[in-house]
Amino acid sequence: MPEDICRVCGANAEKYNYGVISCNSCRNFFTNYQEEFLKKCRELYLLDKTRPIVLDQDDRKIMMKIRCTYYGDCDINVITRRKCDGCRLKKCLDVGMKLKTKSEVNEEDDRLKREKNYFVSLEMLENVVREQDELPALSQEILSLHQKLMDEQSKSSQTGSFPSPSSSSFGSQINPIHPIYDQLVGSLQLEIPTESGFR
Amino acid sequence: MPEDICRVCGANAEKYNYGVISCNSCRNFFTNYQEEFLKKCRELYLLDKTRPIVLDQDDRKIMMKIRCTYYGDCDINVITRRKCDGCRLKKCLDVGMKLKTKSEVNEEDDRLKREKNYFVSLEMLENVVREQDELPALSQEILSLHQKLMDEQSKSSQTGSFPSPSSSSFGSQINPIHPIYDQLVGSLQLEIPTESGFR
DNA sequence: TCGGTACAGAATGTACTA
DNA sequence: ATAGTACATTCTGTACCG
Ligand SMILES: [Zn+2]
Ligand SMILES: [Zn+2]
Ligand SMILES: [Zn+2]
Ligand SMILES: [Zn+2]
């Protein structure tokens, strides 16, 4: 049994997971993101030409989670691996971890393209993670906006009323969606599909 | 009801906790450290002139937890507060949070001083946290040593045998305790009590 | 009013299954 | 040999009690 080290965090490792020698914790981490985050993220980035992108509370949580809050170049080792999900996930991708279900994902994407005229590519999603160090710093405005939106939504979810953009305190001034969205994903260039939405 | 913000993380806050206007999450965070960490840490720093300081697995975990793995000056806000326990705890102390049970702690310290000739001061413990930015960076050697010690101990705890310094792979070369201990606490000056151990 | 405590949910990592 | 799953543990934050 060859003793080796995890290519992500440096812990002891023996096996290949998702194509890379890695420890169980990093495997699990990647699994969770594959299942939860990437799936969620895919929904998030699905573009419907006719509808605006609406971020709900969960979406915003995820956006905040996948983004490094330092400088996008956090060292990942056995101690620090828990500190920054963004950089850990980035490193997973950088060392070559591949989604096993990539084909399945693409199949689903195809279905969505056909049925809903949505457009998304997995590479686009991965870029969000890979370009951590190009994201702008979390400004005070973003934080305030984020918290305000979260508060509003949790209050309205208690009362059971769904928050419409107009009922939001931001409704009249600014679009409650796009400022925070743009800032959070930073340099990601969203490609709006033209016409049929395929390429 | 005065709406205010948590002096630690900036979240909405209404009450004083441990002497500082703070949110519930920061209160809970501080409570946990008061209960678990500071107590544990107090044991850790108790100095017995006759016995060497022995760090077990739990102790090492705590040492790693209270230490910033960045530069000791992490910004703490509602998003980042979970990233760095060391800097969050430091900020709690910096904004003035006080242990409510300080007198009880001191009473216990007094008892230990009398009964066991131990020496410890709460201020000393707080300094460990406060001086985050003076701690040396986590070197590769420290990480390797840390992981090796953790592995050794978990193996030996499986077999049920208590690891003696001589059975350690480091036993013959270096003291398995003090190198990592010194590096982890960094600039903390341990004051070995002279004679009766009081001052 | 606020500290203590209990609980719920999320995140992490390990063990087991196939 | 490795992906999926279940479980245990820890961490975080909220609700309630006194
Ligand atoms: Zn790893
Ligand atoms: Zn990072
Ligand atoms: Zn706070
Ligand atoms: Zn820090």
Side-chain angles (χ1 to χ4, degrees):
Chain A
M1 56 188 78
E3 278 286 321
D4 211 324
I5 63 167
C6 173
R7 297 295 187 263
V8 179
C9 74
N12 293 337
E14 295 167 1
K15 305 183 307 177
Y16 279 82
N17 295 303
Y18 302 107
V20 176
I21 292 179
S22 48
C23 71
N24 284 329
S25 69
C26 289
R27 174 175 79 102
N28 184 66
F29 175 81
F30 196 70
T31 305
N32 286 341
Y33 270 100
Q34 171 176 294
E35 288 304 312
E36 283 180 38
F37 153 65
L38 278 183
K39 197 167 173 191
K40 201 76 180 167
C41 196
R42 201 167 60 247
E43 297 166 12
L44 204 61
Y45 284 96
L46 286 176
L47 292 182
D48 180 338
K49 284 184 295 181
T50 64
R51 286 189 307 177
I53 295 166
V54 175
L55 301 185
D56 66 11
Q57 221 169 5
D58 284 346
D59 295 335
R60 274 194 292 270
K61 266 188 205 161
I62 288 167
M63 308 287 287
M64 282 297 188
K65 264 182 55 178
I66 66 166
R67 135 178 207 135
C68 173
T69 58
Y70 293 92
Y71 303 101
D73 59 353
C74 299
D75 187 43
I76 303 294
N77 59 46
V78 72
I79 296 296
T80 60
R81 65 190 181 195
R82 262 177 269 96
K83 307 281 184 182
C84 183
D85 281 6
C87 288
R88 189 180 188 180
L89 191 53
K90 177 182 190 296
K91 193 159 179 192
C92 286
L93 295 172
D94 285 348
V95 299
M97 278 189 168
K98 298 282 181 218
L99 297 175
K100 195 211 170 189
T101 52
K102 192 152 183 168
S103 60
E104 296 163 24
V105 168
N106 285 338
E107 275 173 27
E108 193 186 339
D109 286 347
D110 287 342
R111 185 182 60 76
L112 286 165
K113 281 181 199 167
R114 276 195 310 277
E115 295 181 5
K116 299 206 165 188
N117 202 21
Y118 280 156
F119 171 79
V120 70
S121 83
L122 197 56
E123 285 70 28
M124 231 169 79
L125 302 180
E126 292 189 358
N127 282 342
V128 186
V129 174
R130 285 185 191 278
E131 294 170 3
Q132 292 286 345
D133 51 351
E134 297 174 18
L135 294 178
L138 269 186
S139 65
Q140 189 56 47
E141 294 94 299
I142 288 290
L143 284 172
S144 305
L145 181 58
H146 175 74
Q147 197 177 351
K148 215 155 190 171
L149 286 169
M150 296 297 272
D151 289 346
E152 256 176 33
Q153 209 151 358
S154 61
K155 271 175 205 156
S156 61
S157 70
Q158 284 168 0
T159 65
S161 71
F162 196 82
S164 71
S166 57
S167 74
S168 163
S169 62
F170 301 101
S172 53
Q173 304 147 305
I174 56 171
N175 182 319
I177 305 310
H178 285 291
I180 200 172
Y181 175 75
D182 288 345
Q183 292 256 11
L184 286 175
V185 295
S187 62
L188 175 71
Q189 298 302 317
L190 289 174
E191 305 185 33
I192 312 285
T194 58
E195 281 106 70
S196 70
F198 292 90
R199 70 162 191 183
Chain B
M1 58 188 76
E3 278 285 320
D4 211 324
I5 63 167
C6 172
R7 298 295 187 265
V8 179
C9 74
N12 293 337
E14 297 166 359
K15 303 185 306 176
Y16 278 83
N17 295 303
Y18 302 107
V20 175
I21 292 179
S22 48
C23 72
N24 284 329
S25 69
C26 288
R27 175 175 80 103
N28 184 64
F29 175 81
F30 196 69
T31 305
N32 285 341
Y33 270 99
Q34 173 176 291
E35 287 303 312
E36 283 181 35
F37 154 65
L38 280 182
K39 198 168 174 192
K40 201 77 180 166
C41 198
R42 201 166 62 248
E43 298 166 12
L44 204 62
Y45 283 95
L46 287 175
L47 292 182
D48 180 340
K49 284 186 295 181
T50 65
R51 288 189 306 179
I53 296 166
V54 176
L55 302 185
D56 66 12
Q57 222 167 5
D58 283 345
D59 295 334
R60 273 194 292 270
K61 265 187 206 162
I62 288 168
M63 308 287 286
M64 282 298 188
K65 263 181 56 179
I66 65 165
R67 172 216 138 121
C68 174
T69 58
Y70 293 91
Y71 303 101
D73 59 354
C74 299
D75 186 44
I76 304 295
N77 59 45
V78 72
I79 296 296
T80 60
R81 66 189 182 196
R82 260 176 271 95
K83 307 281 184 184
C84 182
D85 281 5
C87 289
R88 187 180 189 180
L89 191 51
K90 177 183 189 298
K91 193 160 179 191
C92 286
L93 295 173
D94 284 348
V95 298
M97 279 189 167
K98 298 283 181 218
L99 298 174
K100 193 209 170 189
T101 52
K102 192 152 183 165
S103 60
E104 297 163 25
V105 168
N106 285 338
E107 274 172 28
E108 193 187 339
D109 287 347
D110 286 342
R111 186 180 62 74
L112 286 165
K113 281 182 199 166
R114 276 196 308 277
E115 294 180 6
K116 299 206 166 189
N117 202 22
Y118 279 157
F119 173 79
V120 71
S121 83
L122 198 56
E123 285 71 27
M124 230 169 81
L125 302 180
E126 292 190 358
N127 281 342
V128 186
V129 175
R130 284 185 191 277
E131 293 172 4
Q132 291 287 344
D133 52 352
E134 296 175 18
L135 294 177
L138 268 186
S139 65
Q140 190 55 49
E141 295 94 298
I142 288 288
L143 284 171
S144 305
L145 180 58
H146 176 74
Q147 196 175 353
K148 215 154 191 173
L149 286 169
M150 296 297 272
D151 290 345
E152 258 177 30
Q153 209 152 355
S154 60
K155 271 176 203 156
S156 61
S157 70
Q158 283 168 0
T159 64
S161 71
F162 196 80
S164 71
S166 56
S167 75
S168 162
S169 63
F170 301 101
S172 52
Q173 304 147 304
I174 56 171
N175 183 319
I177 304 310
H178 285 292
I180 199 173
Y181 174 76
D182 287 345
Q183 293 255 11
L184 285 175
V185 294
S187 61
L188 175 72
Q189 298 302 317
L190 290 173
E191 305 184 34
I192 312 285
T194 58
E195 281 109 67
S196 69
F198 291 89
R199 68 161 189 183

